[in-house]
Amino acid sequence: MASTQEKATHKNNTPSPSSSSSAQVLQNWSLAAPSEDPIPKAASMAALIRPAETIADPPATKTTTSKGISIMPRAQTSHPLDPLSAAEISVAVATVRAAGATPEVRDSMRFIEVVLVEPDKHVVALADAYFFPPFQPSLLPRTKGGPVIPSKLPPRKARLVVYNKRSNETSIWIVELSEVHAATRGGHHRGKVISSKVVPNVQPPMDAMEYAECEAVVKDFPPFREAMKKRGIEDMDLVMVDPWCAGYHSSADAPSRRLAKPLIFCRTESDCPMENGYARPVEGIHVLVDMQNMVVIEFEDRKLVPLPPADPLRNYTAGETRGGVDRSDVKPLQIIQTEGPSFRINGNFIAWQKWNFRIGFTPREGLVIYSVAYIDGSRGRRPVAHRLSFVEMVVPYGDPNDPHYRKNAFDAGEDGLGKNAHSLKKGCDCLGYIKYFDAHFTNFTGGVETIENCVCLHEEDHGILWKHQDWRTGLAEVRRSRRLTVSFICTVANYEYGFFWHFYQDGKIEAEVKLTGILSLGALQPGETRKYGTTIAPGLYAPVHQHFFVARMDMAVDCKPGEAFNQVVEVNLKVEEPGKDNVHNNAFYAEEELLRSELQAMRDCNPLTARHWIVRNTRNVNRTGQLTGFKLVPGSNCLPLAGSEAKFLRRAAFLKHNLWVTPYAHDEMYPGGEFPNQNPRVGEGLATWVKQNRSLEEADVVLWYVFGVIHIPRLEDWPVMPVDRIGFMLMPHGFFNCSPAVDVPPSTTDLELKDNDIATKPIQNVIIAKL
């Protein structure tokens, strides 16, 4: 991923040559060759490294643009957690392709995914401590004589998932990117293959190029054209073919073949690209496509169901809706922040209020938040989490009829949330003073594609943070809340999903998913109704279904890299038994239970007891002597509405509980395993890992929070469904006992930030942490 800073040239973004700040000395040092001695003999470590608790740059390192905007110094090279650049992706692909044994092997290589190999946590700590501003040496433990600092960081590495279209094999490659700069001097690969292995009996995620080719193949299949002709459709330009993955229901779906089972829809006008074709599902046609050879291997016209009549509201283009009138009584709403935003950025490093973190992006997960920390006065930088992301998403449908019973999409593992993200538009997707970030991916054939404005960063006014009125004096005090939001939106067939991470001034982090887009529908015979859905228009019904999301949270509450001092406690409210301790029968209290092992930590939400979980540091206490921590506060939630033998639970056993906890392991990333597509293995992934029943009493813990929504479609959901919101919060618990913020001015103007390394407005709305 690249920020928009790479698209423009900026001036005055480096310190002047006369600057002698410690940070500048350290910058030069980090670039020195091993044989050089860049440290002045008289210089001490204290003089070279500024205090860790200071987020703002030292005065000598700040520079000013012509607009008076202070900016952070530019990092010299890619941070170890920065997403792969377009050049790095090109080098990785070229390196793997060149390593193919024969021309046939090289020509048949298809590139599913190229991602950064995330380094060990100690490498990240070293980079943040000494190589990249704002320089945080407190991340590393103190040693006698001072730390020994290497002159450079380890080379970055790429991990490639490659599908061989000729042999139907999937392989994983690791490439060292030691000379990526050579790619800009003629395109020659300069990577080094570290390892490669074939992964047997799997199918990797599907790709957009495959989907487009599958649609063309189905439309050209003569029996299909004949079946559509029976339904009154001869213009194939009207037909929409959505190639859904086959899932796994029996041995016929085994990964020995790469399969898709498309769903068919049909528009009414070929000259209306924004018409809602999902309003006319084509029922009764069974198609099975061999995606390796791109041929239809099964076809059956099982039942002739008339196409639903054209809906007068089918066109959802603004100003062109048939049969309705666009609203004209909404006045303009302007969001203004004339002095710019309060956040500051340096590449992918974000600092806002007392928060700082890094932004990443992967083809599978989409947005990733790294190295989340809170700057807490004299206690300096206090880590909260090493890595936050959404790692899987499952959408099971509740209609047992064909084809809906097979609709159990793994939208992350089978398709990729990141690869299905799209460019955001200011004034629509995001409002306010916006900083966009681009994302780079490989396409199926190995070319590099860029999604511009893929991630949105902006501030939002969030109502009242705190208010109190003294009834004796009549005086009132009120503080408005502001939050920093990082988000992206992806489209998977008919649905849109917006993923949001909100950072608040009171030390809270909120994760939110917004579901919007268009329903996946079925057609009905005249007079027919369905028990397992809602009739929403003549001849048209929407099946009931669920959406589940899995947030993976690699926590590090008050832990420096290398420390494993966290544990998880479950809290339930209990009513005191009647007796001498409860003579008025009104007593209740919070009861805590330490989750000591993985099997004990398989937990479900319980709103009747206000159940929540606290990640505690076992070594640090707050000002009242309690262990510091962050609590996970569930929002609305549910469990799968399916029998224990449901086929989709074979691949999605992780949906059986709302919370799982594991000790950190670098290869335990995806709860359904890396390759859920056509996966025949029962319980692979999270449900298998926890059988080790590893200790959690003091560990480097990872939380897996599963949360979902039950969608019972309503008539008003049509044609474009309203937003459903689900989420959870990470809230301070004995960690940040925050006093109210000072008054906050109204938020943001509708502008895109194109400046490099932005630090526009001094942070004024400060929260004081009291421990």
Side-chain angles (χ1 to χ4, degrees), residues 95-97 99-101 105 109 158-162 170-176 192-199:
T95 301
V96 169
R97 182 172 276 138
V105 169
M109 284 182 173
R159 184 178 189 271
L160 299 89
V161 177
V162 180
T170 300
S171 56
I172 296 176
W173 300 68
I174 305 297
V175 173
E176 184 178 286
K192 177 183 177 182
V193 174
I194 301 299
S195 66
S196 66
K197 65 176 181 179
V198 173
V199 184

Side-chain angles (χ1 to χ4, degrees), residues 234-415:
E234 297 190 42
D235 183 359
M236 288 295 108
D237 289 339
L238 297 175
V239 178
M240 298 164 45
V241 179
D242 278 9
W244 283 52
C245 292
Y248 189 88
H249 293 263
S250 68
S251 58
D253 301 323
S256 56
R257 301 182 298 174
R258 188 166 176 79
L259 302 175
K261 294 199 171 183
L263 299 178
I264 315 298
F265 305 88
C266 187
R267 302 199 312 272
T268 60
E269 297 181 42
S270 60
D271 62 346
C272 183
M274 295 302 288
E275 181 185 342
N276 178 16
Y278 292 106
R280 302 182 78 206
V282 179
E283 199 86 19
I285 293 180
H286 166 79
V287 187
L288 182 66
V289 179
D290 179 339
M291 300 291 280
Q292 177 191 1
N293 302 299
M294 209 52 72
V295 295
V296 176
I297 55 177
E298 290 183 16
F299 180 85
E300 186 178 354
D301 190 355
R302 294 174 173 173
K303 181 173 61 173
L304 182 59
V305 180
L307 288 172
D311 193 299
L313 301 178
R314 64 189 178 277
N315 187 338
Y316 46 83
T317 306
E320 298 181 11
T321 302
R322 293 160 171 79
V325 178
D326 289 352
R327 296 181 183 182
S328 60
D329 57 349
V330 179
K331 305 294 184 182
L333 176 63
Q334 296 183 350
I335 300 176
I336 300 172
Q337 189 174 355
T338 57
E339 297 181 45
S342 298
F343 58 77
R344 299 173 297 128
I345 64 172
N346 182 346
N348 288 351
F349 179 80
I350 312 298
W352 178 79
Q353 296 287 273
K354 296 187 177 293
W355 289 108
N356 62 60
F357 55 87
R358 289 189 173 275
I359 288 178
F361 205 88
T362 72
R364 181 167 182 156
E365 302 158 277
L367 178 62
V368 181
I369 308 293
Y370 296 107
S371 304
V372 181
Y374 193 90
I375 308 305
D376 184 20
S378 62
R379 295 188 68 163
R381 181 184 188 275
R382 302 182 68 180
V384 174
H386 176 71
R387 192 181 194 278
L388 306 172
S389 71
F390 290 95
V391 289
E392 192 52 272
M393 173 183 162
V394 183
V395 188
Y397 278 68
D399 187 340
N401 296 287
D402 188 47
H404 307 289
Y405 77 93
R406 300 192 69 100
K407 291 158 69 173
N408 301 291
F410 283 61
D411 285 336
E414 292 178 340
D415 293 285

Side-chain angles (χ1 to χ4, degrees), residues 560-583:
K560 293 180 180 180
E563 295 181 346
F565 300 149
N566 281 177
Q567 60 182 203
V568 181
V569 174
E570 179 174 288
V571 181
N572 291 279
L573 291 182
K574 288 203 169 183
V575 175
E576 184 67 78
E577 293 292 332
K580 64 177 182 178
D581 293 329
N582 189 18
V583 295

Side-chain angles (χ1 to χ4, degrees), residues 206-236:
M206 294 289 187
D207 184 84
M209 287 187 176
E210 289 182 288
Y211 288 157
E213 192 173 351
C214 177
E215 180 175 61
V217 166
V218 171
K219 287 183 179 182
D220 286 341
F221 190 60
F224 176 78
R225 298 174 75 96
E226 186 64 28
M228 293 304 297
K229 188 174 180 179
K230 291 179 182 178
R231 291 159 173 80
I233 303 299
E234 297 190 42
D235 183 359
M236 288 295 108

Side-chain angles (χ1 to χ4, degrees), residues 463-468 476-481 740-744:
I464 294 176
L465 174 65
W466 173 88
K467 182 175 182 177
H468 177 68
E477 286 288 329
V478 63
R479 311 287 187 264
R480 291 203 67 78
S481 175
V742 304
D743 208 4
V744 181

Side-chain angles (χ1 to χ4, degrees), residues 716-731:
E716 58 268 27
D717 283 347
W718 185 249
V720 180
M721 62 173 290
V723 171
D724 287 329
R725 298 184 182 185
I726 53 177
F728 62 93
M729 295 182 183
L730 284 169
M731 297 181 64

